[in-house]
Amino acid sequence: QVQVVESGGGLVQAGGSLRLSCAASGRTSSIRTMGWFRQAAGKEREFVAAMSWTAGSTYYTDTVKGRFSISKDNAKNTVYLQMDSLKPEDTAVYYCAADVDRTLTYYLARGYDYWGQGTQVTVSS
């Protein structure tokens, strides 16, 4: 069993930055991929970024490439999402998710096994 908890959301002006954290606990050795998803009000949950826990490969949705960066700290069992040049369109609840079964299409939410509670990111214009 794995538990993940997000933090770091808040209110920021357009062009500003935030860093989200996702702390994992439990059977962290079973984690294969960590992903970030977001859901804006009235919209479907969408993929943002993902990282292979073991290989370190990273993936991003086109709308955040060059602005967001995913990274991890193995000692702290934590994955981060550094968000720069934020836009109002980035406003959403951001969720961290963990995959443990090694069978995953990284950009599909249904492939992840464990989810955090979400953290709100609001970007003002």
Side-chain angles (χ1 to χ4, degrees), residues 36-38 46-50 59-62 64 68 81 94:
W36 286 98
F37 292 77
R38 66 188 182 186
E46 67 172 344
F47 169 75
V48 177
Y59 310 91
Y60 300 93
T61 191
D62 287 343
V64 308
F68 291 11
L81 185 67
Y94 283 69

Side-chain angles (χ1 to χ4, degrees), residues 32-37 46-52 58-60 97-113 115:
R32 298 293 175 263
T33 305
M34 296 289 287
W36 286 98
F37 292 77
E46 67 172 344
F47 169 75
V48 177
M51 167 173 275
S52 168
T58 59
Y59 310 91
Y60 300 93
D99 160 67
V100 301
D101 62 15
R102 310 191 75 171
T103 302
L104 175 71
T105 301
Y106 63 87
Y107 55 85
L108 295 178
R110 61 179 170 83
Y112 291 82
D113 305 293
W115 291 82

